[in-house]
Amino acid sequence: MRVNFTIEGSPVGKARPRVTRTVTYTPAKTARYEDLVRYTAINSFKGMLDKDEPVDVKIMAYFEVPKSYSKKRKALCLSNQELPTKKPDADNIGKIIMDGMNPKMKRNKVVHKMMQLVRGIYHDDKQVTSLLVKKRYSEYPRVEVTVERDKGK
């Protein structure tokens, strides 16, 4: 079993939760991107992985080469001789992608339990036993994700 999908557009990192006096919430940009990841992932994979199945996730984040770069520097970037060392951080890209593949949950105030609104690829990102996140330059910004069973090698 293997799931491959691509999220078009510039990579987005997971933002810190915002806190008011009474409520902690996820910023809107982060929530929208997680929804985009979830939508793309479930349209690429019709099933759901078993609850205790270990998963291997590979994430390739491609950034657009800045327009201010010279032709020579742009060629270095596109040949992977110069790598992106800019925000978002690789760990924040990994977090937003993995959280986006989780089911979307909401607390039901009547029964005081979490209810699943939209399914995900797996039950929880704790199933991820191996994670690889790479940042590269490309003419077309995107994030490519591969999810497969971890064979334990």
Side-chain angles (χ1 to χ4, degrees), residues 15-84:
R16 296 184 187 278
R18 303 293 184 234
V19 180
T20 65
R21 287 182 180 212
T22 57
V23 178
T24 302
Y25 65 95
T26 303
K29 183 177 179 182
T30 298
R32 281 194 307 270
Y33 196 76
E34 284 179 356
D35 289 343
L36 175 64
V37 170
R38 189 174 297 108
Y39 175 77
T40 307
I42 62 177
N43 283 329
S44 301
F45 181 60
K46 301 302 179 196
M48 188 177 213
L49 297 171
D50 294 336
K51 214 171 204 162
D52 296 324
E53 187 170 11
V55 176
D56 179 23
V57 178
K58 293 182 181 95
I59 301 169
M60 291 293 295
Y62 293 97
F63 292 86
E64 188 172 18
V65 179
K67 304 230 185 290
S68 62
Y69 284 10
S70 67
K71 287 183 181 179
K72 182 178 178 181
R73 191 169 179 194
K74 184 176 182 178
L76 289 173
C77 291
L78 294 176
S79 65
N80 290 329
Q81 293 178 12
E82 184 176 335
L83 301 175

Side-chain angles (χ1 to χ4, degrees), residues 1-2 54-56 58 129-130 148-153:
M1 185 282 322
R2 173 183 267 194
V55 176
D56 179 23
K58 293 182 181 95
T129 56
S130 176
E148 59 187 341
R149 288 187 182 104
D150 193 343
K151 298 167 185 74
K153 293 181 183 177

Side-chain angles (χ1 to χ4, degrees), residues 6-11 61-65 138-143:
T6 302
I7 301 126
E8 300 295 331
S10 296
Y62 293 97
F63 292 86
E64 188 172 18
V65 179
S138 173
E139 291 184 8
Y140 306 104
R142 65 195 183 278
V143 177

